[in-house]
Amino acid sequence: MINEQALLQQLSLGDRQAFAAIYEEYGAGIYNYLLKFTKDPLLTEDLVHDVFLKVWEIREQLNVTSSFGAYLYRIARNTAITQLNRISLYDTVRDELMHRISLNNDYPELMHELEAKQYRELLQQAINKLSPQRREAFILVRQQGLSYEAAAAQMNISRHTLKEYLVLAVKAIKEYLLAHGDISLLMLLVALK
């Protein structure tokens, strides 16, 4: 069993080894816990990264008076609920868009192509705004389809570091698309793929 308070103290000072020890101790349990909510291994892996990213981001303000494990599971639960609600909202919007499109049989294919081109350009703008490491991680894993291990080896970094880069890249891209894109355009394109 780890000494939580000592690790949390080290973590608050930005100690990456303490963070890695916490991840090692709780990562698998958080994954299994979240998998019960999502039933989707890939989504669950992303959520686990979101949970630990949040811990890293708030490390200086962590003030856990009881069990850090319980605190971490509460963060995991809230993260899962937020994400599942967001997915549900997107599904609702997608269904509504598909319904509207099906009512209008004259909706030109050219419009689909134009919207897809606009989305691809917006996505590329978001990718271009990433730091070089995050951009490379995103391109290797999400666009070229490399495994985490292969991408990490190609970048000459650890799998854990690659995951950090990828989580931060995906978060930045989502924020950029939501800030600069038309949500109905984005949802329409998701529905058409």
Side-chain angles (χ1 to χ4, degrees), residues 39-100:
K39 311 286 191 251
D40 180 341
L42 291 176
L43 174 59
T44 301
E45 192 168 316
D46 284 344
L47 289 175
V48 170
H49 294 300
D50 288 348
V51 167
F52 284 96
L53 178 62
K54 175 142 181 88
V55 169
W56 180 256
E57 289 173 345
I58 64 170
R59 68 188 177 277
E60 294 172 353
Q61 294 85 31
L62 279 176
N63 186 14
V64 180
T65 56
S66 60
S67 165
F68 177 70
Y71 178 79
L72 193 59
Y73 278 87
R74 191 167 50 254
I75 290 174
R77 180 182 171 276
N78 291 341
T79 300
I81 289 170
T82 300
Q83 184 64 23
L84 292 173
N85 285 339
R86 188 176 295 141
I87 290 169
S88 176
L89 172 65
Y90 286 168
D91 287 347
T92 302
V93 171
R94 184 195 63 218
D95 291 346
E96 178 62 23
L97 287 168
M98 292 306 292
H99 175 69
R100 288 183 184 189

Short mmCIF file of all heavy atoms in Angstrom, two decimals, residues 39-100:
data_model
loop_
_atom_site.label_atom_id
_atom_site.label_comp_id
_atom_site.label_asym_id
_atom_site.label_seq_id
_atom_site.Cartn_x
_atom_site.Cartn_y
_atom_site.Cartn_z
N LYS A 39 -19.15 0.92 -20.84
CA LYS A 39 -19.20 -0.32 -21.63
C LYS A 39 -18.38 -0.19 -22.93
O LYS A 39 -18.60 -0.91 -23.89
CB LYS A 39 -20.65 -0.71 -22.00
CG LYS A 39 -21.63 -0.71 -20.86
CD LYS A 39 -21.43 -1.88 -19.95
CE LYS A 39 -22.58 -2.02 -18.98
NZ LYS A 39 -22.26 -1.68 -17.63
N ASP A 40 -17.46 0.78 -22.95
CA ASP A 40 -16.67 1.06 -24.15
C ASP A 40 -15.20 1.24 -23.72
O ASP A 40 -14.85 2.26 -23.12
CB ASP A 40 -17.18 2.34 -24.82
CG ASP A 40 -16.41 2.72 -26.07
OD1 ASP A 40 -15.27 2.26 -26.26
OD2 ASP A 40 -16.96 3.51 -26.86
N PRO A 41 -14.34 0.26 -24.05
CA PRO A 41 -12.95 0.34 -23.61
C PRO A 41 -12.19 1.59 -24.08
O PRO A 41 -11.43 2.17 -23.32
CB PRO A 41 -12.31 -0.92 -24.19
CG PRO A 41 -13.45 -1.86 -24.39
CD PRO A 41 -14.64 -1.01 -24.73
N LEU A 42 -12.41 2.03 -25.32
CA LEU A 42 -11.69 3.21 -25.81
C LEU A 42 -12.15 4.47 -25.10
O LEU A 42 -11.33 5.31 -24.69
CB LEU A 42 -11.87 3.36 -27.32
CG LEU A 42 -11.17 2.30 -28.17
CD1 LEU A 42 -11.50 2.48 -29.64
CD2 LEU A 42 -9.67 2.34 -27.95
N LEU A 43 -13.45 4.63 -24.94
CA LEU A 43 -13.97 5.78 -24.21
C LEU A 43 -13.48 5.74 -22.77
O LEU A 43 -13.09 6.77 -22.20
CB LEU A 43 -15.50 5.80 -24.25
CG LEU A 43 -16.19 6.87 -23.41
CD1 LEU A 43 -15.76 8.27 -23.84
CD2 LEU A 43 -17.71 6.71 -23.51
N THR A 44 -13.47 4.57 -22.19
CA THR A 44 -13.01 4.42 -20.81
C THR A 44 -11.56 4.84 -20.66
O THR A 44 -11.19 5.54 -19.73
CB THR A 44 -13.20 2.97 -20.33
OG1 THR A 44 -14.59 2.64 -20.43
CG2 THR A 44 -12.74 2.78 -18.90
N GLU A 45 -10.73 4.43 -21.61
CA GLU A 45 -9.31 4.82 -21.55
C GLU A 45 -9.17 6.34 -21.62
O GLU A 45 -8.39 6.94 -20.89
CB GLU A 45 -8.54 4.15 -22.69
CG GLU A 45 -7.05 4.27 -22.53
CD GLU A 45 -6.29 3.36 -23.47
OE1 GLU A 45 -6.67 2.19 -23.63
OE2 GLU A 45 -5.30 3.85 -24.03
N ASP A 46 -9.95 6.97 -22.50
CA ASP A 46 -9.92 8.44 -22.58
C ASP A 46 -10.37 9.07 -21.27
O ASP A 46 -9.79 10.07 -20.81
CB ASP A 46 -10.80 8.94 -23.72
CG ASP A 46 -10.16 8.73 -25.10
OD1 ASP A 46 -8.94 8.49 -25.16
OD2 ASP A 46 -10.90 8.81 -26.09
N LEU A 47 -11.40 8.51 -20.66
CA LEU A 47 -11.90 9.05 -19.39
C LEU A 47 -10.87 8.91 -18.27
O LEU A 47 -10.70 9.82 -17.46
CB LEU A 47 -13.21 8.37 -18.99
CG LEU A 47 -14.44 8.72 -19.83
CD1 LEU A 47 -15.63 7.87 -19.39
CD2 LEU A 47 -14.76 10.18 -19.75
N VAL A 48 -10.17 7.78 -18.24
CA VAL A 48 -9.13 7.58 -17.23
C VAL A 48 -8.06 8.66 -17.40
O VAL A 48 -7.62 9.27 -16.42
CB VAL A 48 -8.50 6.17 -17.33
CG1 VAL A 48 -7.25 6.06 -16.46
CG2 VAL A 48 -9.51 5.10 -16.93
N HIS A 49 -7.70 8.94 -18.63
CA HIS A 49 -6.70 9.98 -18.88
C HIS A 49 -7.24 11.35 -18.44
O HIS A 49 -6.50 12.16 -17.88
CB HIS A 49 -6.28 9.99 -20.34
CG HIS A 49 -5.55 8.76 -20.74
ND1 HIS A 49 -4.37 8.36 -20.16
CD2 HIS A 49 -5.85 7.81 -21.65
CE1 HIS A 49 -3.98 7.23 -20.68
NE2 HIS A 49 -4.86 6.86 -21.59
N ASP A 50 -8.52 11.60 -18.70
CA ASP A 50 -9.12 12.86 -18.27
C ASP A 50 -9.09 13.00 -16.75
O ASP A 50 -8.81 14.08 -16.22
CB ASP A 50 -10.58 12.97 -18.75
CG ASP A 50 -10.70 13.19 -20.24
OD1 ASP A 50 -9.67 13.51 -20.90
OD2 ASP A 50 -11.82 13.04 -20.77
N VAL A 51 -9.36 11.90 -16.05
CA VAL A 51 -9.36 11.92 -14.58
C VAL A 51 -7.97 12.27 -14.06
O VAL A 51 -7.81 13.16 -13.22
CB VAL A 51 -9.82 10.55 -14.01
CG1 VAL A 51 -9.53 10.46 -12.52
CG2 VAL A 51 -11.30 10.33 -14.29
N PHE A 52 -6.96 11.58 -14.59
CA PHE A 52 -5.61 11.84 -14.09
C PHE A 52 -5.05 13.17 -14.57
O PHE A 52 -4.26 13.80 -13.87
CB PHE A 52 -4.69 10.66 -14.42
CG PHE A 52 -4.92 9.49 -13.51
CD1 PHE A 52 -5.76 8.46 -13.89
CD2 PHE A 52 -4.35 9.46 -12.25
CE1 PHE A 52 -6.00 7.40 -13.02
CE2 PHE A 52 -4.59 8.41 -11.38
CZ PHE A 52 -5.42 7.38 -11.77
N LEU A 53 -5.51 13.61 -15.72
CA LEU A 53 -5.13 14.95 -16.17
C LEU A 53 -5.69 16.00 -15.21
O LEU A 53 -5.01 16.95 -14.84
CB LEU A 53 -5.64 15.21 -17.60
CG LEU A 53 -5.35 16.59 -18.17
CD1 LEU A 53 -3.86 16.85 -18.27
CD2 LEU A 53 -6.00 16.73 -19.54
N LYS A 54 -6.93 15.80 -14.77
CA LYS A 54 -7.53 16.71 -13.81
C LYS A 54 -6.74 16.72 -12.50
O LYS A 54 -6.48 17.78 -11.92
CB LYS A 54 -8.98 16.35 -13.55
CG LYS A 54 -9.65 17.18 -12.48
CD LYS A 54 -11.07 17.49 -12.85
CE LYS A 54 -11.76 18.35 -11.82
NZ LYS A 54 -11.57 19.75 -12.07
N VAL A 55 -6.34 15.53 -12.05
CA VAL A 55 -5.54 15.45 -10.82
C VAL A 55 -4.24 16.24 -11.00
O VAL A 55 -3.84 16.99 -10.11
CB VAL A 55 -5.25 13.97 -10.45
CG1 VAL A 55 -4.19 13.88 -9.35
CG2 VAL A 55 -6.53 13.27 -10.02
N TRP A 56 -3.61 16.08 -12.14
CA TRP A 56 -2.36 16.81 -12.38
C TRP A 56 -2.61 18.32 -12.41
O TRP A 56 -1.83 19.09 -11.85
CB TRP A 56 -1.71 16.35 -13.69
CG TRP A 56 -0.43 17.06 -13.98
CD1 TRP A 56 -0.23 18.07 -14.88
CD2 TRP A 56 0.83 16.86 -13.33
NE1 TRP A 56 1.06 18.49 -14.84
CE2 TRP A 56 1.75 17.77 -13.90
CE3 TRP A 56 1.27 15.99 -12.34
CZ2 TRP A 56 3.08 17.83 -13.50
CZ3 TRP A 56 2.60 16.07 -11.94
CH2 TRP A 56 3.48 16.97 -12.52
N GLU A 57 -3.69 18.72 -13.06
CA GLU A 57 -3.99 20.15 -13.18
C GLU A 57 -4.29 20.79 -11.83
O GLU A 57 -3.99 21.97 -11.62
CB GLU A 57 -5.15 20.37 -14.14
CG GLU A 57 -4.79 20.11 -15.59
CD GLU A 57 -5.98 20.16 -16.53
OE1 GLU A 57 -7.15 20.13 -16.06
OE2 GLU A 57 -5.75 20.24 -17.76
N ILE A 58 -4.92 20.05 -10.92
CA ILE A 58 -5.29 20.62 -9.62
C ILE A 58 -4.36 20.19 -8.50
O ILE A 58 -4.67 20.38 -7.32
CB ILE A 58 -6.76 20.27 -9.26
CG1 ILE A 58 -6.95 18.77 -9.08
CG2 ILE A 58 -7.73 20.85 -10.28
CD1 ILE A 58 -8.30 18.37 -8.50
N ARG A 59 -3.22 19.64 -8.86
CA ARG A 59 -2.30 19.05 -7.87
C ARG A 59 -1.92 20.03 -6.75
O ARG A 59 -1.79 19.63 -5.61
CB ARG A 59 -1.05 18.51 -8.55
CG ARG A 59 -0.16 19.58 -9.15
CD ARG A 59 0.96 18.98 -9.98
NE ARG A 59 1.77 20.00 -10.61
CZ ARG A 59 1.46 20.62 -11.74
NH1 ARG A 59 0.34 20.30 -12.38
NH2 ARG A 59 2.26 21.55 -12.24
N GLU A 60 -1.78 21.30 -7.07
CA GLU A 60 -1.37 22.27 -6.05
C GLU A 60 -2.51 22.60 -5.08
O GLU A 60 -2.26 23.03 -3.96
CB GLU A 60 -0.86 23.55 -6.72
CG GLU A 60 0.42 23.32 -7.51
CD GLU A 60 0.83 24.53 -8.32
OE1 GLU A 60 0.06 25.51 -8.39
OE2 GLU A 60 1.93 24.49 -8.91
N GLN A 61 -3.75 22.39 -5.51
CA GLN A 61 -4.90 22.68 -4.65
C GLN A 61 -5.47 21.46 -3.95
O GLN A 61 -6.44 21.57 -3.21
CB GLN A 61 -6.04 23.33 -5.47
CG GLN A 61 -5.73 24.70 -6.02
CD GLN A 61 -4.98 24.65 -7.34
OE1 GLN A 61 -5.17 23.74 -8.12
NE2 GLN A 61 -4.11 25.63 -7.57
N LEU A 62 -4.90 20.28 -4.20
CA LEU A 62 -5.42 19.06 -3.59
C LEU A 62 -5.36 19.17 -2.07
O LEU A 62 -4.31 19.45 -1.50
CB LEU A 62 -4.63 17.84 -4.04
CG LEU A 62 -4.99 17.25 -5.39
CD1 LEU A 62 -4.05 16.10 -5.72
CD2 LEU A 62 -6.41 16.78 -5.44
N ASN A 63 -6.50 18.97 -1.44
CA ASN A 63 -6.57 18.99 0.01
C ASN A 63 -7.51 17.87 0.43
O ASN A 63 -8.67 18.09 0.73
CB ASN A 63 -7.07 20.36 0.50
CG ASN A 63 -7.02 20.46 2.01
OD1 ASN A 63 -6.41 19.64 2.68
ND2 ASN A 63 -7.70 21.45 2.55
N VAL A 64 -6.99 16.68 0.39
CA VAL A 64 -7.79 15.49 0.68
C VAL A 64 -7.65 15.17 2.16
O VAL A 64 -6.56 14.89 2.64
CB VAL A 64 -7.32 14.30 -0.18
CG1 VAL A 64 -8.16 13.08 0.11
CG2 VAL A 64 -7.38 14.66 -1.65
N THR A 65 -8.77 15.26 2.86
CA THR A 65 -8.72 15.02 4.31
C THR A 65 -8.99 13.58 4.67
O THR A 65 -8.60 13.12 5.74
CB THR A 65 -9.75 15.93 5.02
OG1 THR A 65 -11.04 15.69 4.46
CG2 THR A 65 -9.36 17.39 4.87
N SER A 66 -9.68 12.86 3.79
CA SER A 66 -9.93 11.44 4.09
C SER A 66 -9.15 10.59 3.08
O SER A 66 -7.98 10.81 2.88
CB SER A 66 -11.43 11.16 4.04
OG SER A 66 -11.95 11.46 2.76
N SER A 67 -9.78 9.70 2.41
CA SER A 67 -9.13 8.79 1.48
C SER A 67 -8.97 9.43 0.10
O SER A 67 -9.95 9.86 -0.51
CB SER A 67 -9.96 7.51 1.36
OG SER A 67 -9.56 6.76 0.25
N PHE A 68 -7.74 9.45 -0.40
CA PHE A 68 -7.51 9.96 -1.74
C PHE A 68 -8.19 9.06 -2.76
O PHE A 68 -8.71 9.54 -3.77
CB PHE A 68 -6.01 10.06 -2.04
CG PHE A 68 -5.73 10.51 -3.44
CD1 PHE A 68 -6.00 11.82 -3.84
CD2 PHE A 68 -5.21 9.63 -4.38
CE1 PHE A 68 -5.76 12.24 -5.14
CE2 PHE A 68 -4.96 10.05 -5.68
CZ PHE A 68 -5.24 11.35 -6.06
N GLY A 69 -8.20 7.76 -2.51
CA GLY A 69 -8.86 6.82 -3.42
C GLY A 69 -10.33 7.17 -3.59
O GLY A 69 -10.84 7.21 -4.71
N ALA A 70 -11.02 7.45 -2.50
CA ALA A 70 -12.44 7.82 -2.58
C ALA A 70 -12.61 9.12 -3.35
O ALA A 70 -13.52 9.27 -4.17
CB ALA A 70 -13.02 7.95 -1.18
N TYR A 71 -11.71 10.06 -3.10
CA TYR A 71 -11.73 11.34 -3.81
C TYR A 71 -11.54 11.12 -5.31
O TYR A 71 -12.25 11.70 -6.13
CB TYR A 71 -10.62 12.23 -3.24
CG TYR A 71 -10.48 13.57 -3.89
CD1 TYR A 71 -11.35 14.62 -3.58
CD2 TYR A 71 -9.46 13.82 -4.79
CE1 TYR A 71 -11.20 15.86 -4.17
CE2 TYR A 71 -9.31 15.06 -5.38
CZ TYR A 71 -10.18 16.08 -5.08
OH TYR A 71 -10.03 17.30 -5.66
N LEU A 72 -10.60 10.27 -5.67
CA LEU A 72 -10.30 9.98 -7.06
C LEU A 72 -11.48 9.29 -7.76
O LEU A 72 -11.83 9.63 -8.89
CB LEU A 72 -9.05 9.10 -7.14
CG LEU A 72 -8.39 8.93 -8.48
CD1 LEU A 72 -7.96 10.27 -9.05
CD2 LEU A 72 -7.17 8.02 -8.35
N TYR A 73 -12.11 8.36 -7.06
CA TYR A 73 -13.28 7.69 -7.64
C TYR A 73 -14.44 8.66 -7.83
O TYR A 73 -15.22 8.54 -8.77
CB TYR A 73 -13.69 6.48 -6.80
CG TYR A 73 -12.87 5.25 -7.10
CD1 TYR A 73 -11.66 5.03 -6.44
CD2 TYR A 73 -13.28 4.33 -8.05
CE1 TYR A 73 -10.88 3.92 -6.73
CE2 TYR A 73 -12.51 3.22 -8.33
CZ TYR A 73 -11.32 3.01 -7.68
OH TYR A 73 -10.55 1.91 -7.98
N ARG A 74 -14.56 9.64 -6.95
CA ARG A 74 -15.61 10.65 -7.10
C ARG A 74 -15.34 11.50 -8.35
O ARG A 74 -16.24 11.79 -9.13
CB ARG A 74 -15.70 11.52 -5.85
CG ARG A 74 -16.93 12.41 -5.82
CD ARG A 74 -17.22 13.05 -4.47
NE ARG A 74 -16.07 13.71 -3.85
CZ ARG A 74 -15.38 13.24 -2.81
NH1 ARG A 74 -15.72 12.09 -2.26
NH2 ARG A 74 -14.36 13.91 -2.31
N ILE A 75 -14.07 11.87 -8.56
CA ILE A 75 -13.70 12.60 -9.78
C ILE A 75 -14.03 11.74 -11.00
O ILE A 75 -14.58 12.23 -11.99
CB ILE A 75 -12.20 12.98 -9.78
CG1 ILE A 75 -11.91 14.05 -8.74
CG2 ILE A 75 -11.77 13.48 -11.16
CD1 ILE A 75 -10.43 14.37 -8.58
N ALA A 76 -13.70 10.46 -10.94
CA ALA A 76 -13.96 9.54 -12.06
C ALA A 76 -15.45 9.45 -12.35
O ALA A 76 -15.87 9.53 -13.52
CB ALA A 76 -13.39 8.16 -11.74
N ARG A 77 -16.24 9.32 -11.31
CA ARG A 77 -17.70 9.23 -11.49
C ARG A 77 -18.24 10.50 -12.14
O ARG A 77 -19.01 10.45 -13.09
CB ARG A 77 -18.37 9.01 -10.14
CG ARG A 77 -19.87 8.90 -10.21
CD ARG A 77 -20.48 8.71 -8.81
NE ARG A 77 -21.91 8.81 -8.85
CZ ARG A 77 -22.59 9.96 -8.82
NH1 ARG A 77 -21.96 11.10 -8.73
NH2 ARG A 77 -23.90 9.96 -8.87
N ASN A 78 -17.82 11.66 -11.64
CA ASN A 78 -18.30 12.93 -12.19
C ASN A 78 -17.85 13.11 -13.63
O ASN A 78 -18.60 13.61 -14.47
CB ASN A 78 -17.82 14.09 -11.33
CG ASN A 78 -18.49 14.11 -9.97
OD1 ASN A 78 -19.53 13.50 -9.76
ND2 ASN A 78 -17.88 14.79 -9.03
N THR A 79 -16.62 12.70 -13.93
CA THR A 79 -16.11 12.78 -15.30
C THR A 79 -16.94 11.90 -16.23
O THR A 79 -17.30 12.32 -17.33
CB THR A 79 -14.62 12.36 -15.34
OG1 THR A 79 -13.88 13.23 -14.48
CG2 THR A 79 -14.06 12.42 -16.74
N ALA A 80 -17.24 10.69 -15.80
CA ALA A 80 -18.03 9.77 -16.62
C ALA A 80 -19.43 10.32 -16.85
O ALA A 80 -19.94 10.29 -17.98
CB ALA A 80 -18.11 8.40 -15.95
N ILE A 81 -20.06 10.83 -15.82
CA ILE A 81 -21.41 11.37 -15.96
C ILE A 81 -21.42 12.54 -16.93
O ILE A 81 -22.28 12.63 -17.82
CB ILE A 81 -21.99 11.76 -14.59
CG1 ILE A 81 -22.29 10.50 -13.77
CG2 ILE A 81 -23.24 12.63 -14.73
CD1 ILE A 81 -22.63 10.75 -12.32
N THR A 82 -20.45 13.44 -16.78
CA THR A 82 -20.38 14.59 -17.68
C THR A 82 -20.20 14.15 -19.13
O THR A 82 -20.90 14.63 -20.03
CB THR A 82 -19.20 15.52 -17.27
OG1 THR A 82 -19.43 15.97 -15.94
CG2 THR A 82 -19.05 16.69 -18.21
N GLN A 83 -19.29 13.22 -19.35
CA GLN A 83 -19.02 12.76 -20.71
C GLN A 83 -20.22 12.00 -21.30
O GLN A 83 -20.57 12.20 -22.45
CB GLN A 83 -17.77 11.88 -20.75
CG GLN A 83 -17.37 11.45 -22.14
CD GLN A 83 -16.98 12.61 -23.04
OE1 GLN A 83 -16.61 13.68 -22.58
NE2 GLN A 83 -17.09 12.42 -24.33
N LEU A 84 -20.84 11.15 -20.50
CA LEU A 84 -22.00 10.40 -21.00
C LEU A 84 -23.17 11.34 -21.30
O LEU A 84 -23.90 11.13 -22.28
CB LEU A 84 -22.39 9.31 -20.01
CG LEU A 84 -21.36 8.17 -19.88
CD1 LEU A 84 -21.75 7.23 -18.76
CD2 LEU A 84 -21.19 7.43 -21.20
N ASN A 85 -23.35 12.38 -20.50
CA ASN A 85 -24.38 13.37 -20.80
C ASN A 85 -24.07 14.10 -22.09
O ASN A 85 -24.97 14.37 -22.89
CB ASN A 85 -24.52 14.38 -19.65
CG ASN A 85 -25.23 13.80 -18.45
OD1 ASN A 85 -25.97 12.82 -18.56
ND2 ASN A 85 -25.01 14.40 -17.29
N ARG A 86 -22.80 14.43 -22.30
CA ARG A 86 -22.39 15.11 -23.54
C ARG A 86 -22.65 14.20 -24.74
O ARG A 86 -23.17 14.65 -25.77
CB ARG A 86 -20.92 15.48 -23.44
CG ARG A 86 -20.43 16.35 -24.57
CD ARG A 86 -18.98 16.77 -24.37
NE ARG A 86 -18.88 17.63 -23.21
CZ ARG A 86 -17.89 17.60 -22.33
NH1 ARG A 86 -16.89 16.77 -22.48
NH2 ARG A 86 -17.87 18.41 -21.30
N ILE A 87 -22.32 12.93 -24.62
CA ILE A 87 -22.54 11.98 -25.71
C ILE A 87 -24.04 11.86 -25.99
O ILE A 87 -24.47 11.84 -27.14
CB ILE A 87 -21.93 10.61 -25.38
CG1 ILE A 87 -20.41 10.70 -25.42
CG2 ILE A 87 -22.44 9.52 -26.33
CD1 ILE A 87 -19.69 9.48 -24.87
N SER A 88 -24.83 11.81 -24.94
CA SER A 88 -26.28 11.72 -25.10
C SER A 88 -26.82 12.95 -25.84
O SER A 88 -27.66 12.84 -26.73
CB SER A 88 -26.94 11.58 -23.74
OG SER A 88 -28.33 11.59 -23.86
N LEU A 89 -26.32 14.12 -25.46
CA LEU A 89 -26.74 15.35 -26.15
C LEU A 89 -26.35 15.30 -27.61
O LEU A 89 -27.15 15.62 -28.50
CB LEU A 89 -26.11 16.57 -25.47
CG LEU A 89 -26.32 17.91 -26.18
CD1 LEU A 89 -27.79 18.28 -26.21
CD2 LEU A 89 -25.49 18.99 -25.54
N TYR A 90 -25.11 14.88 -27.91
CA TYR A 90 -24.66 14.78 -29.29
C TYR A 90 -25.51 13.79 -30.08
O TYR A 90 -25.86 14.03 -31.22
CB TYR A 90 -23.19 14.38 -29.36
CG TYR A 90 -22.22 15.47 -28.98
CD1 TYR A 90 -20.90 15.17 -28.77
CD2 TYR A 90 -22.62 16.80 -28.83
CE1 TYR A 90 -19.99 16.16 -28.41
CE2 TYR A 90 -21.71 17.78 -28.47
CZ TYR A 90 -20.40 17.46 -28.27
OH TYR A 90 -19.50 18.43 -27.92
N ASP A 91 -25.85 12.66 -29.45
CA ASP A 91 -26.70 11.68 -30.11
C ASP A 91 -28.07 12.27 -30.44
O ASP A 91 -28.61 12.04 -31.52
CB ASP A 91 -26.87 10.43 -29.24
CG ASP A 91 -25.61 9.58 -29.19
OD1 ASP A 91 -24.70 9.80 -30.02
OD2 ASP A 91 -25.54 8.69 -28.32
N THR A 92 -28.62 13.04 -29.51
CA THR A 92 -29.92 13.68 -29.73
C THR A 92 -29.84 14.66 -30.89
O THR A 92 -30.71 14.67 -31.77
CB THR A 92 -30.39 14.40 -28.45
OG1 THR A 92 -30.46 13.44 -27.40
CG2 THR A 92 -31.73 15.06 -28.64
N VAL A 93 -28.79 15.49 -30.90
CA VAL A 93 -28.63 16.46 -31.98
C VAL A 93 -28.43 15.74 -33.31
O VAL A 93 -29.03 16.10 -34.33
CB VAL A 93 -27.43 17.40 -31.69
CG1 VAL A 93 -27.11 18.27 -32.89
CG2 VAL A 93 -27.73 18.27 -30.48
N ARG A 94 -27.61 14.68 -33.31
CA ARG A 94 -27.37 13.92 -34.54
C ARG A 94 -28.67 13.32 -35.06
O ARG A 94 -28.97 13.41 -36.25
CB ARG A 94 -26.35 12.81 -34.28
CG ARG A 94 -26.00 12.04 -35.57
CD ARG A 94 -25.30 10.73 -35.28
NE ARG A 94 -26.21 9.87 -34.54
CZ ARG A 94 -25.84 9.07 -33.56
NH1 ARG A 94 -24.60 9.00 -33.18
NH2 ARG A 94 -26.72 8.32 -32.94
N ASP A 95 -29.46 12.74 -34.17
CA ASP A 95 -30.73 12.15 -34.59
C ASP A 95 -31.67 13.19 -35.18
O ASP A 95 -32.34 12.94 -36.19
CB ASP A 95 -31.41 11.44 -33.41
CG ASP A 95 -30.67 10.20 -32.96
OD1 ASP A 95 -29.78 9.71 -33.70
OD2 ASP A 95 -30.96 9.71 -31.84
N GLU A 96 -31.71 14.36 -34.57
CA GLU A 96 -32.55 15.44 -35.08
C GLU A 96 -32.08 15.89 -36.47
O GLU A 96 -32.88 16.10 -37.38
CB GLU A 96 -32.56 16.63 -34.12
CG GLU A 96 -33.35 17.81 -34.59
CD GLU A 96 -34.85 17.54 -34.78
OE1 GLU A 96 -35.38 16.60 -34.17
OE2 GLU A 96 -35.49 18.27 -35.56
N LEU A 97 -30.77 16.03 -36.64
CA LEU A 97 -30.24 16.42 -37.94
C LEU A 97 -30.54 15.38 -39.01
O LEU A 97 -30.92 15.72 -40.13
CB LEU A 97 -28.74 16.66 -37.85
CG LEU A 97 -28.32 17.93 -37.12
CD1 LEU A 97 -26.83 17.91 -36.84
CD2 LEU A 97 -28.68 19.15 -37.94
N MET A 98 -30.37 14.12 -38.66
CA MET A 98 -30.66 13.06 -39.62
C MET A 98 -32.14 13.05 -39.99
O MET A 98 -32.50 12.84 -41.14
CB MET A 98 -30.24 11.70 -39.07
CG MET A 98 -28.74 11.53 -38.94
SD MET A 98 -27.84 11.84 -40.47
CE MET A 98 -28.39 10.48 -41.46
N HIS A 99 -32.99 13.31 -39.01
CA HIS A 99 -34.43 13.38 -39.28
C HIS A 99 -34.74 14.52 -40.25
O HIS A 99 -35.48 14.34 -41.21
CB HIS A 99 -35.20 13.56 -37.97
CG HIS A 99 -36.67 13.75 -38.16
ND1 HIS A 99 -37.49 12.74 -38.61
CD2 HIS A 99 -37.46 14.84 -37.98
CE1 HIS A 99 -38.73 13.20 -38.69
NE2 HIS A 99 -38.74 14.47 -38.32
N ARG A 100 -34.16 15.68 -40.01
CA ARG A 100 -34.39 16.83 -40.89
C ARG A 100 -33.88 16.58 -42.30
O ARG A 100 -34.52 16.95 -43.28
CB ARG A 100 -33.73 18.08 -40.31
CG ARG A 100 -34.46 18.60 -39.10
CD ARG A 100 -33.83 19.86 -38.59
NE ARG A 100 -34.50 20.27 -37.36
CZ ARG A 100 -34.28 21.42 -36.77
NH1 ARG A 100 -33.44 22.28 -37.27
NH2 ARG A 100 -34.92 21.71 -35.66
#
